[in-house]
Amino acid sequence: MTRRLFGTLCGLVFLVNFGRVAFPPLVETLQTQFSVGPATIGVVTSLVWLGTAIPRIPVGYLLTRVSRSKVVLGSGTLLVVAAAFTASATSVLTLQIGAFGLGLASGAYFVSATPLVGELYPERVGRMVGIHGAASQVAAVVAAPVVVFILASYSWRETFWVLAAAGALVTLLLYAVSRDGSAGAGTGADRDFSAALGHWKLILTGILLIAPAGFVWQGLFNFLVSYMTQAKAFDAATASTMLTIVFAAGVPAFSLSGRLADNLPHVPYIFGLLVAFIGALVALTYAQGFVAVAAVVAVLGYVIHSLFPALDTFMLSSLPSDARGSAYAVFSGAALLLEANGSGAVGFLTEANYAFEAVFRTLAGGLAVFVSALAVLYAVNRLPGVDRVDLSSD
């Protein structure tokens, strides 16, 4: 019964993530359709991720009153409504509202489903979170080719109509599985939200480790197609291929990194991934030609998608079960509020005539300085929530 619930969750996570990653391959199409510039569409993509972030802390409190499985069902329902609303958008404002709604659905889903996966498989947290993340990542891989295929025969709206229909089907399946009793394990509520705030040092460290890199990543992948066409002189099809590669590299990354996170020291492993991400980003700004760019994009995609399950495993393994869901909600919500502004920042900078290469090199440099500071704090045992016991056992 647990396997049936987990399988249904993997189906729903595919769809909620598809709703988030369908926008990057549509950036230039939406600019044309609504007669706006990159800054405006950058705000739309930022709203998706702000929507992902904003409900997490309130949902964390809701999880002290409602079981995780019911919140997951609610997120599936919201996904259907938001996708249909986005497909019906007739102005930039309604498009922004729809994008925000898709973000809300994904935020509510992840903050309830990720701890649920940890509860279902307490002895294999990293591995199962990695598999769940890989299912999500498959959506990112197929998003660009699916959107391109739909645009070849239909309009951009059909992308979201298909999402709404698929979301309705999977949500009904999840409801049936829950009614069948398979949600009996691991769906209890966290009864004390204030207990989550008691772990603020660990939550702060999690935010510091992921939010700056996430900010840069948001700016990169949401404008990757435009970056490839403008700075690398690729045609639209080749640029979309690069988007597919960066996400395809994340499929094995989620699964493998989840297993590694179960066995390697958590914090040093995370630092290693951050350094690799910075190096890959700098290399991307200098790479030229299809083969070189594709190779660097693949490495970059693998590294950044390895970081996410590593952070989740670190947080879920470090938090006590009675506050895991709500504390994870606070962590992920606060981090994403910061990360979500990355695409808007890149959009505004490029519209102000700053070159993509200069923007990404500057972001990489700033991230390198920040990570170096965190590494020093870790080395002298001053990283919040990580004491000497953690240093020896992570």
Side-chain angles (χ1 to χ4, degrees):
M1 299 295 257
T2 297
R3 288 194 297 270
R4 291 176 62 188
L5 176 58
F6 181 71
T8 310
L9 289 174
C10 287
L12 189 53
V13 76
F14 173 92
L15 295 175
V16 296
N17 196 43
F18 187 92
R20 300 191 302 185
V21 298
F23 285 94
L26 287 171
V27 164
E28 296 196 350
T29 298
L30 293 174
Q31 287 177 200
T32 301
Q33 291 292 314
F34 290 92
S35 301
V36 294
T40 300
I41 298 303
V43 171
V44 173
T45 57
S46 286
L47 282 170
V48 176
W49 295 93
L50 284 171
T52 297
I54 287 174
R56 296 197 176 207
I57 296 176
V59 170
Y61 178 78
L62 182 63
L63 288 170
T64 66
R65 301 289 183 266
V66 181
S67 69
R68 296 183 181 97
S69 60
K70 290 182 179 178
V71 176
V72 171
L73 281 170
S75 69
T77 303
L78 179 57
L79 172 69
V80 175
V81 174
F85 187 88
T86 302
S88 305
T90 57
S91 66
V92 171
L93 177 60
T94 52
L95 181 66
Q96 291 172 337
I97 294 172
F100 186 72
L102 289 168
L104 289 175
S106 66
Y109 174 85
F110 280 105
V111 82
S112 54
T114 302
L116 174 55
V117 171
E119 291 294 323
L120 291 173
Y121 299 95
E123 303 301 321
R124 294 176 288 167
V125 174
R127 179 184 178 187
M128 303 314 290
V129 166
I131 293 172
H132 183 253
S136 168
Q137 192 61 22
V138 171
V141 175
V142 303
V146 166
V147 168
V148 170
F149 174 79
I150 290 175
L151 290 176
S153 302
Y154 306 98
S155 75
W156 64 271
R157 299 180 187 277
E158 274 64 34
T159 300
F160 296 101
W161 283 124
V162 171
L163 177 60
L169 176 61
V170 174
T171 301
L172 287 173
L173 287 174
L174 180 61
Y175 176 73
V177 170
S178 301
R179 289 267 303 203
D180 197 35
S182 62
T187 56
D190 297 329
R191 295 302 176 189
D192 187 3
F193 184 75
S194 61
L197 301 181
H199 300 282
W200 68 269
K201 290 183 178 180
L202 181 62
I203 291 170
L204 175 61
T205 291
I207 293 169
L208 293 174
L209 288 171
I210 189 61
F215 179 93
V216 176
W217 169 242
Q218 289 283 333
L220 176 64
F221 90 81
N222 277 302
F223 282 94
L224 188 63
V225 172
S226 296
Y227 175 37
M228 292 292 116
T229 56
Q230 295 178 30
K232 305 300 183 184
F234 292 156
D235 58 36
T238 304
S240 294
T241 298
M242 294 301 170
L243 188 63
T244 300
I245 290 172
V246 79
F247 286 130
V251 175
F254 267 99
S255 181
L256 179 58
S257 185
R259 296 188 183 196
L260 289 174
D262 279 335
N263 297 287
L264 293 176
H266 291 146
V267 178
Y269 177 47
I270 291 167
F271 276 132
L273 292 172
L274 287 169
V275 171
F277 174 67
I278 294 167
L281 179 58
V282 173
L284 180 61
T285 65
Y286 290 100
Q288 295 295 329
F290 179 87
V291 175
V293 173
V296 175
V297 162
V299 172
L300 196 151
Y302 180 86
V303 170
I304 190 62
H305 291 108
S306 293
L307 183 61
F308 302 140
L311 254 297
D312 283 346
T313 303
F314 167 57
M315 295 299 295
L316 294 174
S317 299
S318 302
L319 292 165
S321 59
D322 62 341
R324 185 173 293 137
S326 49
Y328 180 83
V330 175
F331 151 70
S332 60
L336 276 169
L337 279 174
L338 299 174
E339 295 172 34
N341 297 286
S343 58
V346 171
F348 280 112
L349 288 171
T350 54
E351 189 163 306
N353 295 321
Y354 289 96
F356 275 114
E357 308 284 28
V359 170
F360 290 134
R361 286 171 192 164
T362 301
L363 290 174
L367 182 59
V369 172
F370 190 84
V371 171
S372 297
L374 291 180
V376 170
L377 289 175
Y378 180 76
V380 299
N381 197 29
R382 295 291 184 181
L383 199 60
V386 181
D387 56 29
R388 291 195 180 276
V389 174
D390 293 321
L391 294 177
S392 62
S393 64
D394 272 355

PDB file of all heavy atoms in Angstrom, residues 363-393:
ATOM      1  N   LEU A 363      27.400  37.040 -11.030  1.00  0.00           N
ATOM      2  CA  LEU A 363      26.666  36.207 -10.074  1.00  0.00           C
ATOM      3  C   LEU A 363      27.542  35.075  -9.551  1.00  0.00           C
ATOM      4  O   LEU A 363      27.509  34.747  -8.352  1.00  0.00           O
ATOM      5  CB  LEU A 363      25.410  35.639 -10.738  1.00  0.00           C
ATOM      6  CG  LEU A 363      24.292  36.642 -11.034  1.00  0.00           C
ATOM      7  CD1 LEU A 363      23.168  35.978 -11.824  1.00  0.00           C
ATOM      8  CD2 LEU A 363      23.727  37.237  -9.738  1.00  0.00           C
ATOM      9  N   ALA A 364      28.323  34.464 -10.433  1.00  0.00           N
ATOM     10  CA  ALA A 364      29.217  33.382 -10.016  1.00  0.00           C
ATOM     11  C   ALA A 364      30.263  33.893  -9.028  1.00  0.00           C
ATOM     12  O   ALA A 364      30.572  33.233  -8.023  1.00  0.00           O
ATOM     13  CB  ALA A 364      29.893  32.757 -11.226  1.00  0.00           C
ATOM     14  N   GLY A 365      30.801  35.086  -9.290  1.00  0.00           N
ATOM     15  CA  GLY A 365      31.782  35.664  -8.387  1.00  0.00           C
ATOM     16  C   GLY A 365      31.199  35.956  -7.017  1.00  0.00           C
ATOM     17  O   GLY A 365      31.819  35.668  -5.984  1.00  0.00           O
ATOM     18  N   GLY A 366      30.008  36.538  -6.999  1.00  0.00           N
ATOM     19  CA  GLY A 366      29.355  36.810  -5.724  1.00  0.00           C
ATOM     20  C   GLY A 366      29.064  35.540  -4.950  1.00  0.00           C
ATOM     21  O   GLY A 366      29.243  35.483  -3.720  1.00  0.00           O
ATOM     22  N   LEU A 367      28.620  34.499  -5.653  1.00  0.00           N
ATOM     23  CA  LEU A 367      28.335  33.223  -4.992  1.00  0.00           C
ATOM     24  C   LEU A 367      29.610  32.603  -4.436  1.00  0.00           C
ATOM     25  O   LEU A 367      29.601  32.019  -3.336  1.00  0.00           O
ATOM     26  CB  LEU A 367      27.665  32.273  -5.986  1.00  0.00           C
ATOM     27  CG  LEU A 367      27.247  30.898  -5.445  1.00  0.00           C
ATOM     28  CD1 LEU A 367      26.269  31.047  -4.288  1.00  0.00           C
ATOM     29  CD2 LEU A 367      26.626  30.062  -6.566  1.00  0.00           C
ATOM     30  N   ALA A 368      30.715  32.732  -5.157  1.00  0.00           N
ATOM     31  CA  ALA A 368      31.987  32.177  -4.691  1.00  0.00           C
ATOM     32  C   ALA A 368      32.424  32.833  -3.375  1.00  0.00           C
ATOM     33  O   ALA A 368      32.887  32.147  -2.452  1.00  0.00           O
ATOM     34  CB  ALA A 368      33.070  32.372  -5.756  1.00  0.00           C
ATOM     35  N   VAL A 369      32.261  34.142  -3.282  1.00  0.00           N
ATOM     36  CA  VAL A 369      32.614  34.846  -2.050  1.00  0.00           C
ATOM     37  C   VAL A 369      31.745  34.375  -0.892  1.00  0.00           C
ATOM     38  O   VAL A 369      32.231  34.116   0.220  1.00  0.00           O
ATOM     39  CB  VAL A 369      32.474  36.374  -2.246  1.00  0.00           C
ATOM     40  CG1 VAL A 369      32.641  37.107  -0.912  1.00  0.00           C
ATOM     41  CG2 VAL A 369      33.486  36.879  -3.266  1.00  0.00           C
ATOM     42  N   PHE A 370      30.441  34.215  -1.159  1.00  0.00           N
ATOM     43  CA  PHE A 370      29.512  33.806  -0.106  1.00  0.00           C
ATOM     44  C   PHE A 370      29.812  32.390   0.379  1.00  0.00           C
ATOM     45  O   PHE A 370      29.839  32.120   1.590  1.00  0.00           O
ATOM     46  CB  PHE A 370      28.076  33.897  -0.628  1.00  0.00           C
ATOM     47  CG  PHE A 370      27.029  33.741   0.426  1.00  0.00           C
ATOM     48  CD1 PHE A 370      26.629  34.815   1.201  1.00  0.00           C
ATOM     49  CD2 PHE A 370      26.444  32.509   0.667  1.00  0.00           C
ATOM     50  CE1 PHE A 370      25.673  34.672   2.196  1.00  0.00           C
ATOM     51  CE2 PHE A 370      25.480  32.350   1.650  1.00  0.00           C
ATOM     52  CZ  PHE A 370      25.098  33.433   2.417  1.00  0.00           C
ATOM     53  N   VAL A 371      30.043  31.476  -0.553  1.00  0.00           N
ATOM     54  CA  VAL A 371      30.332  30.087  -0.185  1.00  0.00           C
ATOM     55  C   VAL A 371      31.646  30.004   0.585  1.00  0.00           C
ATOM     56  O   VAL A 371      31.768  29.228   1.543  1.00  0.00           O
ATOM     57  CB  VAL A 371      30.372  29.193  -1.440  1.00  0.00           C
ATOM     58  CG1 VAL A 371      30.896  27.794  -1.096  1.00  0.00           C
ATOM     59  CG2 VAL A 371      28.984  29.088  -2.049  1.00  0.00           C
ATOM     60  N   SER A 372      32.628  30.808   0.197  1.00  0.00           N
ATOM     61  CA  SER A 372      33.900  30.822   0.921  1.00  0.00           C
ATOM     62  C   SER A 372      33.697  31.247   2.372  1.00  0.00           C
ATOM     63  O   SER A 372      34.301  30.673   3.297  1.00  0.00           O
ATOM     64  CB  SER A 372      34.883  31.774   0.233  1.00  0.00           C
ATOM     65  OG  SER A 372      35.179  31.335  -1.078  1.00  0.00           O
ATOM     66  N   ALA A 373      32.841  32.234   2.584  1.00  0.00           N
ATOM     67  CA  ALA A 373      32.556  32.679   3.952  1.00  0.00           C
ATOM     68  C   ALA A 373      31.890  31.579   4.761  1.00  0.00           C
ATOM     69  O   ALA A 373      32.225  31.354   5.934  1.00  0.00           O
ATOM     70  CB  ALA A 373      31.677  33.928   3.913  1.00  0.00           C
ATOM     71  N   LEU A 374      30.953  30.869   4.155  1.00  0.00           N
ATOM     72  CA  LEU A 374      30.297  29.756   4.847  1.00  0.00           C
ATOM     73  C   LEU A 374      31.288  28.650   5.176  1.00  0.00           C
ATOM     74  O   LEU A 374      31.220  28.037   6.253  1.00  0.00           O
ATOM     75  CB  LEU A 374      29.161  29.193   3.986  1.00  0.00           C
ATOM     76  CG  LEU A 374      27.931  30.066   3.772  1.00  0.00           C
ATOM     77  CD1 LEU A 374      26.910  29.338   2.903  1.00  0.00           C
ATOM     78  CD2 LEU A 374      27.289  30.469   5.102  1.00  0.00           C
ATOM     79  N   ALA A 375      32.200  28.378   4.264  1.00  0.00           N
ATOM     80  CA  ALA A 375      33.194  27.334   4.490  1.00  0.00           C
ATOM     81  C   ALA A 375      34.096  27.683   5.666  1.00  0.00           C
ATOM     82  O   ALA A 375      34.464  26.817   6.468  1.00  0.00           O
ATOM     83  CB  ALA A 375      34.021  27.110   3.225  1.00  0.00           C
ATOM     84  N   VAL A 376      34.453  28.949   5.789  1.00  0.00           N
ATOM     85  CA  VAL A 376      35.268  29.392   6.925  1.00  0.00           C
ATOM     86  C   VAL A 376      34.499  29.198   8.224  1.00  0.00           C
ATOM     87  O   VAL A 376      35.040  28.696   9.225  1.00  0.00           O
ATOM     88  CB  VAL A 376      35.693  30.863   6.754  1.00  0.00           C
ATOM     89  CG1 VAL A 376      36.336  31.392   8.041  1.00  0.00           C
ATOM     90  CG2 VAL A 376      36.656  31.003   5.585  1.00  0.00           C
ATOM     91  N   LEU A 377      33.224  29.578   8.228  1.00  0.00           N
ATOM     92  CA  LEU A 377      32.406  29.388   9.425  1.00  0.00           C
ATOM     93  C   LEU A 377      32.312  27.914   9.798  1.00  0.00           C
ATOM     94  O   LEU A 377      32.371  27.537  10.980  1.00  0.00           O
ATOM     95  CB  LEU A 377      30.993  29.952   9.189  1.00  0.00           C
ATOM     96  CG  LEU A 377      30.873  31.471   9.112  1.00  0.00           C
ATOM     97  CD1 LEU A 377      29.445  31.869   8.748  1.00  0.00           C
ATOM     98  CD2 LEU A 377      31.283  32.116  10.434  1.00  0.00           C
ATOM     99  N   TYR A 378      32.170  27.065   8.806  1.00  0.00           N
ATOM    100  CA  TYR A 378      32.101  25.629   9.060  1.00  0.00           C
ATOM    101  C   TYR A 378      33.420  25.118   9.638  1.00  0.00           C
ATOM    102  O   TYR A 378      33.436  24.314  10.587  1.00  0.00           O
ATOM    103  CB  TYR A 378      31.762  24.895   7.767  1.00  0.00           C
ATOM    104  CG  TYR A 378      31.666  23.395   7.913  1.00  0.00           C
ATOM    105  CD1 TYR A 378      30.550  22.793   8.497  1.00  0.00           C
ATOM    106  CD2 TYR A 378      32.693  22.576   7.462  1.00  0.00           C
ATOM    107  CE1 TYR A 378      30.469  21.425   8.633  1.00  0.00           C
ATOM    108  CE2 TYR A 378      32.611  21.193   7.591  1.00  0.00           C
ATOM    109  CZ  TYR A 378      31.506  20.618   8.173  1.00  0.00           C
ATOM    110  OH  TYR A 378      31.422  19.263   8.310  1.00  0.00           O
ATOM    111  N   ALA A 379      34.529  25.597   9.077  1.00  0.00           N
ATOM    112  CA  ALA A 379      35.844  25.128   9.507  1.00  0.00           C
ATOM    113  C   ALA A 379      36.131  25.492  10.965  1.00  0.00           C
ATOM    114  O   ALA A 379      36.813  24.744  11.677  1.00  0.00           O
ATOM    115  CB  ALA A 379      36.932  25.713   8.603  1.00  0.00           C
ATOM    116  N   VAL A 380      35.620  26.637  11.424  1.00  0.00           N
ATOM    117  CA  VAL A 380      35.860  27.062  12.807  1.00  0.00           C
ATOM    118  C   VAL A 380      34.677  26.717  13.709  1.00  0.00           C
ATOM    119  O   VAL A 380      34.570  27.226  14.827  1.00  0.00           O
ATOM    120  CB  VAL A 380      36.166  28.577  12.874  1.00  0.00           C
ATOM    121  CG1 VAL A 380      37.410  28.898  12.068  1.00  0.00           C
ATOM    122  CG2 VAL A 380      34.979  29.403  12.379  1.00  0.00           C
ATOM    123  N   ASN A 381      33.788  25.853  13.211  1.00  0.00           N
ATOM    124  CA  ASN A 381      32.654  25.365  14.005  1.00  0.00           C
ATOM    125  C   ASN A 381      31.709  26.497  14.421  1.00  0.00           C
ATOM    126  O   ASN A 381      31.197  26.524  15.540  1.00  0.00           O
ATOM    127  CB  ASN A 381      33.140  24.623  15.257  1.00  0.00           C
ATOM    128  CG  ASN A 381      32.037  23.767  15.878  1.00  0.00           C
ATOM    129  OD1 ASN A 381      31.138  23.293  15.186  1.00  0.00           O
ATOM    130  ND2 ASN A 381      32.109  23.579  17.187  1.00  0.00           N
ATOM    131  N   ARG A 382      31.450  27.438  13.485  1.00  0.00           N
ATOM    132  CA  ARG A 382      30.545  28.546  13.770  1.00  0.00           C
ATOM    133  C   ARG A 382      29.324  28.549  12.854  1.00  0.00           C
ATOM    134  O   ARG A 382      28.552  29.502  12.874  1.00  0.00           O
ATOM    135  CB  ARG A 382      31.287  29.887  13.617  1.00  0.00           C
ATOM    136  CG  ARG A 382      32.399  30.096  14.626  1.00  0.00           C
ATOM    137  CD  ARG A 382      31.845  30.282  16.016  1.00  0.00           C
ATOM    138  NE  ARG A 382      32.895  30.585  16.997  1.00  0.00           N
ATOM    139  CZ  ARG A 382      32.674  30.773  18.293  1.00  0.00           C
ATOM    140  NH1 ARG A 382      31.441  30.690  18.743  1.00  0.00           N
ATOM    141  NH2 ARG A 382      33.665  31.020  19.106  1.00  0.00           N
ATOM    142  N   LEU A 383      29.152  27.511  12.083  1.00  0.00           N
ATOM    143  CA  LEU A 383      27.990  27.443  11.213  1.00  0.00           C
ATOM    144  C   LEU A 383      26.766  27.114  12.071  1.00  0.00           C
ATOM    145  O   LEU A 383      26.759  26.105  12.777  1.00  0.00           O
ATOM    146  CB  LEU A 383      28.190  26.370  10.143  1.00  0.00           C
ATOM    147  CG  LEU A 383      27.307  26.431   8.894  1.00  0.00           C
ATOM    148  CD1 LEU A 383      27.504  27.744   8.151  1.00  0.00           C
ATOM    149  CD2 LEU A 383      27.603  25.257   7.970  1.00  0.00           C
ATOM    150  N   PRO A 384      25.731  27.961  12.070  1.00  0.00           N
ATOM    151  CA  PRO A 384      24.589  27.777  12.974  1.00  0.00           C
ATOM    152  C   PRO A 384      23.950  26.397  12.844  1.00  0.00           C
ATOM    153  O   PRO A 384      23.699  25.908  11.739  1.00  0.00           O
ATOM    154  CB  PRO A 384      23.598  28.870  12.532  1.00  0.00           C
ATOM    155  CG  PRO A 384      24.453  29.911  11.898  1.00  0.00           C
ATOM    156  CD  PRO A 384      25.573  29.157  11.214  1.00  0.00           C
ATOM    157  N   GLY A 385      23.704  25.766  13.984  1.00  0.00           N
ATOM    158  CA  GLY A 385      23.006  24.487  14.006  1.00  0.00           C
ATOM    159  C   GLY A 385      23.863  23.290  13.692  1.00  0.00           C
ATOM    160  O   GLY A 385      23.389  22.158  13.710  1.00  0.00           O
ATOM    161  N   VAL A 386      25.154  23.510  13.408  1.00  0.00           N
ATOM    162  CA  VAL A 386      26.061  22.401  13.113  1.00  0.00           C
ATOM    163  C   VAL A 386      27.187  22.448  14.141  1.00  0.00           C
ATOM    164  O   VAL A 386      28.067  23.280  14.067  1.00  0.00           O
ATOM    165  CB  VAL A 386      26.636  22.511  11.679  1.00  0.00           C
ATOM    166  CG1 VAL A 386      27.569  21.329  11.388  1.00  0.00           C
ATOM    167  CG2 VAL A 386      25.516  22.557  10.665  1.00  0.00           C
ATOM    168  N   ASP A 387      27.139  21.539  15.142  1.00  0.00           N
ATOM    169  CA  ASP A 387      28.160  21.534  16.181  1.00  0.00           C
ATOM    170  C   ASP A 387      29.201  20.466  15.885  1.00  0.00           C
ATOM    171  O   ASP A 387      29.177  19.799  14.859  1.00  0.00           O
ATOM    172  CB  ASP A 387      27.532  21.345  17.563  1.00  0.00           C
ATOM    173  CG  ASP A 387      26.681  20.077  17.626  1.00  0.00           C
ATOM    174  OD1 ASP A 387      27.002  19.104  16.883  1.00  0.00           O
ATOM    175  OD2 ASP A 387      25.726  20.057  18.404  1.00  0.00           O
ATOM    176  N   ARG A 388      30.125  20.274  16.828  1.00  0.00           N
ATOM    177  CA  ARG A 388      31.229  19.349  16.587  1.00  0.00           C
ATOM    178  C   ARG A 388      30.740  17.914  16.448  1.00  0.00           C
ATOM    179  O   ARG A 388      31.353  17.128  15.714  1.00  0.00           O
ATOM    180  CB  ARG A 388      32.255  19.452  17.707  1.00  0.00           C
ATOM    181  CG  ARG A 388      33.013  20.763  17.699  1.00  0.00           C
ATOM    182  CD  ARG A 388      34.267  20.708  18.568  1.00  0.00           C
ATOM    183  NE  ARG A 388      34.952  21.980  18.515  1.00  0.00           N
ATOM    184  CZ  ARG A 388      35.802  22.338  17.581  1.00  0.00           C
ATOM    185  NH1 ARG A 388      36.054  21.495  16.589  1.00  0.00           N
ATOM    186  NH2 ARG A 388      36.379  23.502  17.596  1.00  0.00           N
ATOM    187  N   VAL A 389      29.656  17.571  17.104  1.00  0.00           N
ATOM    188  CA  VAL A 389      29.102  16.224  16.922  1.00  0.00           C
ATOM    189  C   VAL A 389      28.650  16.039  15.488  1.00  0.00           C
ATOM    190  O   VAL A 389      28.914  15.016  14.852  1.00  0.00           O
ATOM    191  CB  VAL A 389      27.912  15.990  17.891  1.00  0.00           C
ATOM    192  CG1 VAL A 389      27.247  14.662  17.595  1.00  0.00           C
ATOM    193  CG2 VAL A 389      28.399  16.046  19.317  1.00  0.00           C
ATOM    194  N   ASP A 390      27.985  17.077  14.928  1.00  0.00           N
ATOM    195  CA  ASP A 390      27.540  17.015  13.553  1.00  0.00           C
ATOM    196  C   ASP A 390      28.719  16.927  12.588  1.00  0.00           C
ATOM    197  O   ASP A 390      28.701  16.235  11.595  1.00  0.00           O
ATOM    198  CB  ASP A 390      26.700  18.240  13.194  1.00  0.00           C
ATOM    199  CG  ASP A 390      25.382  18.263  13.961  1.00  0.00           C
ATOM    200  OD1 ASP A 390      24.787  17.187  14.143  1.00  0.00           O
ATOM    201  OD2 ASP A 390      24.992  19.348  14.376  1.00  0.00           O
ATOM    202  N   LEU A 391      29.806  17.658  12.940  1.00  0.00           N
ATOM    203  CA  LEU A 391      30.964  17.665  12.056  1.00  0.00           C
ATOM    204  C   LEU A 391      31.555  16.281  11.914  1.00  0.00           C
ATOM    205  O   LEU A 391      32.059  15.897  10.863  1.00  0.00           O
ATOM    206  CB  LEU A 391      32.027  18.631  12.586  1.00  0.00           C
ATOM    207  CG  LEU A 391      31.673  20.115  12.601  1.00  0.00           C
ATOM    208  CD1 LEU A 391      32.809  20.914  13.215  1.00  0.00           C
ATOM    209  CD2 LEU A 391      31.372  20.616  11.204  1.00  0.00           C
ATOM    210  N   SER A 392      31.507  15.496  12.955  1.00  0.00           N
ATOM    211  CA  SER A 392      32.117  14.183  12.908  1.00  0.00           C
ATOM    212  C   SER A 392      31.187  13.107  12.412  1.00  0.00           C
ATOM    213  O   SER A 392      31.603  12.045  12.004  1.00  0.00           O
ATOM    214  CB  SER A 392      32.619  13.791  14.305  1.00  0.00           C
ATOM    215  OG  SER A 392      31.514  13.712  15.203  1.00  0.00           O
ATOM    216  N   SER A 393      29.864  13.394  12.430  1.00  0.00           N
ATOM    217  CA  SER A 393      28.900  12.349  12.071  1.00  0.00           C
ATOM    218  C   SER A 393      28.136  12.602  10.799  1.00  0.00           C
ATOM    219  O   SER A 393      27.465  11.740  10.302  1.00  0.00           O
ATOM    220  CB  SER A 393      27.891  12.167  13.216  1.00  0.00           C
ATOM    221  OG  SER A 393      27.131  13.354  13.396  1.00  0.00           O
TER     222      SER A 393
END
